[in-house]
Amino acid sequence: MAVNPSVSLPAHSGFSEGGSYTVISPVTGRPVTEVGLASAAETDAAIERAAAAFPSWRAVNPGDRARLLRRFATVVEEHIDELAELEVANAGHTIGNARWEAGNVRDVLNYYSAAPERLFGRQIPVPGGLDVTFLEPIGVVGIIVPWNFPMPIAGWGFGPALAAGNTVVLKPAEVTPLTALRLGELALEAGLPEGVFTVIPGKGSVVGQRFVDHPAVRKVCFTGSTAVGKNLMAGAATQVKRVTLELGGKNANIIFADSDLEKAALAAPGAAFDNSGQDCCARSRVLVEASVYEKFLSLLEPAVTGMSVGDPADPATDMGPLISAGHLDSVIGYSASAQIAFSAANGGGTAETAGGFWHPPMVALPRGANDPIWTEEVFGPVLAVMPFRDEAEAIALANDTEYGLSGSIYTRDIGRALRVARAVDSGNLSVNSHSSVRYWTPFGGFKQSGLGRELGPEAPNSFTEVKNVFISHD
Ligand code: NAD
């Protein structure tokens, strides 16, 4: 189950002064390849190239910019298998997920390729003349990506940002640079001019910090932890720099007694353990109406114990490893002190993968509403189940968190579904399903889960400034 040797693993990033990073396979714990990291000076030089490329990129006529983005989407489409295999090698994602992730980049590019000709301003009635608004691109946009979904989260930023006429510098997470670097090469192959989209691998404290500090970067689009996001927002405030923040989550899956309990129990593991639970939208808090709590647990148990954990390159695998040794330690820190009800029989580790970062999916029964397994974002395959008495208590428990990213409601009562969906303070809710992300619907968090929205029809607007122009009749 080693890394697929047919995948070409880029060793050169075009940067080197910031040292290098040894990419480790989460499956085996063994080195995969070495990536050169950018220094602060190299980052500044890349930002300045992006600033130099901005005037001509914004001037590309809308139809041509659209065509270039469609061509970029086509080139991504032609490399879906390669990109997916790279992600399996770098991040240990299951091959099915990784193919979906590469396909999502293609879809996002295709969707936003329709934006350049549709960046409409408005004509507003005024006396004495004509008033029109323009959506002007901002300039250089810095996109900072976490390690959990390296391809989609990159695309959600660069797709609409490029479509709106901005140039982009993008920093992947230190541990997962490979697909982003390849996407940077594919953009050039598709014909995007040099400097329009530059991938800069490096440390958050170096490259990411330059995105915050360099005045030519006019907006930072950050996805990552709430702690880093807060610091970044404070840093950006010194230049009144625009930010979009997509941060953590501790999302509730609320299951009422009148729901299709079998369906809810079968779906709950996927909603919490997809991508090994390393998902800001993971429904890691399951709230079950007290009258069906025991029955729900008895239905959930076989769905969890039977999960297939192992080789992510095998299409039959449900769950792969965690991203890194450090993250595995962090997840074990939670699971070792939690009250575990049951876990998957197969934890993933074999003699061949003994050095990998394996953690079985687990179901915990919190000791109370203050138990860390219930309150903190574990970002691993541990879900916690708690009973509730009635609708009011379910809503109160769901909202008893500083996060507000996603959530689910299982009920057959449509009135209740609507009441609860309106009452839960989260940006993305689904009823009788766990879907959170469609590239054509808006995505983002309430409270400390973020600021602003990505995706959906309005995303390009968030990479523009509104300019109002009045033209006098006289
Ligand atoms: P992280 O905050 O440690 O890192 C995210 C990115 O920020 C990385 O590229 C990192 O190098 C960079 N960074 C670190 N320090 C920085 C600094 N001082 N200045 C600028 N950039 C810096 O997060 P992570 O561990 O990579 O990702 C996991 C977190 O991301 C979880 O909390 C998860 O919930 C969150 N997340 C949120 C969403 C969402 O859409 N809301 C999506 C995915 C992940």
Side-chain angles (χ1 to χ4, degrees), residues 144-149 153 156 171-175 202-212 222-229 231-232 245-249 278-281 327 377 379 403 405 443-445 449-450 454:
I144 300 178
V145 181
W147 48 257
N148 63 330
F149 289 112
I153 292 172
W156 303 352
K171 192 196 93 61
E174 205 176 341
V175 291
K203 293 188 174 141
S205 57
V206 178
V207 178
Q209 195 60 46
R210 288 311 297 155
F211 289 7
V212 176
F222 171 86
T223 305
S225 60
T226 297
V228 174
N231 282 334
L232 184 138
L245 303 174
E246 296 286 2
L247 308 174
Q278 304 166 122
D279 181 349
C280 50
C281 289
H327 189 55
E377 185 185 42
F379 224 55
Y403 293 118
L405 188 57
F443 176 73
S449 282
E454 294 191 289

Side-chain angles (χ1 to χ4, degrees), residues 36 59 92 107 173 431 438 448:
D107 293 343
V431 175
R438 285 182 194 83
Q448 293 191 29

Side-chain angles (χ1 to χ4, degrees), residues 88-167:
V88 175
N90 190 161
H93 288 194
T94 58
I95 184 69
N97 276 14
R99 284 209 184 96
W100 181 91
E101 291 159 19
N104 183 255
V105 176
R106 169 206 55 209
D107 293 343
V108 165
L109 281 167
N110 271 326
Y111 181 65
Y112 291 113
S113 74
E117 306 104 318
R118 293 171 176 79
L119 271 181
F120 302 125
R122 306 176 78 184
Q123 179 266 313
I124 301 171
V126 290
L130 173 74
D131 193 280
V132 286
T133 63
F134 295 92
L135 298 182
E136 305 286 14
I138 299 175
V140 180
V141 171
I143 297 170
I144 300 178
V145 181
W147 48 257
N148 63 330
F149 289 112
M151 282 191 276
I153 292 172
W156 303 352
F158 70 68
L162 292 171
N166 304 279
T167 55

Side-chain angles (χ1 to χ4, degrees), residues 5 64 103-104 111 121 134 154 166 171 186 198 215 219 241 263 316 332 347 349 377 388 393 415 432 438:
D64 287 342
N104 183 255
Y111 181 65
F134 295 92
N166 304 279
K171 192 196 93 61
L186 297 179
T198 310
K219 171 162 185 164
K241 191 171 284 196
K263 181 179 163 188
I332 291 173
E377 185 185 42
F388 66 84
E393 191 185 33
N432 297 327
R438 285 182 194 83

Side-chain angles (χ1 to χ4, degrees), residues 44-57 139-141 167-169 195-196 198 214-218:
D44 285 359
I47 291 169
E48 281 142 29
R49 284 195 296 277
F54 173 58
S56 46
W57 179 244
V140 180
V141 171
T167 55
V168 168
V169 287
V196 167
T198 310
H214 196 300
V217 177
R218 307 304 293 270

